[in-house]
Amino acid sequence: MLKKFLTLIALLTALSCHAALDINKASEAELDSIKGIGPGTSSKILTERKKAAFKDWNDFITRVQGIGEVKAARFSAEGVTVNGAGFKAAPAVKK
């Protein structure tokens, strides 16, 4: 029984490491913990967030210099959300 309990605790701990991190609520330390976000980027994010919360991923990409669809997709894969939503790239235009 104890073995099952410890396994459950370990599983829950592992799942909590990949919990979503909303860009509108994250602290500077939480932002810095995301792969690809360093002190410079987190500073830009916090500066823009002070002006107004990010409405969606497009708003985030537009307002934060140096963030494009590729980085947004990477951040989303790391568990970052904007208002609880993951990034969905615009569909490719067929020619």
Side-chain angles (χ1 to χ4, degrees), residues 18-68:
H18 293 287
L21 176 69
D22 194 292
I23 207 81
N24 286 317
K25 298 175 184 173
S27 69
E28 184 173 9
E30 290 171 324
L31 290 172
D32 287 342
S33 73
I34 300 297
K35 184 178 177 182
I37 298 180
T41 303
S42 64
S43 176
K44 291 176 190 177
I45 292 169
L46 293 173
T47 298
E48 283 299 319
R49 191 173 75 187
K50 284 180 188 176
K51 296 175 186 176
F54 298 104
K55 297 173 192 166
D56 54 27
W57 278 98
N58 187 49
D59 184 37
F60 176 69
I61 291 169
T62 302
R63 290 173 43 200
V64 180
Q65 183 181 6
I67 304 295

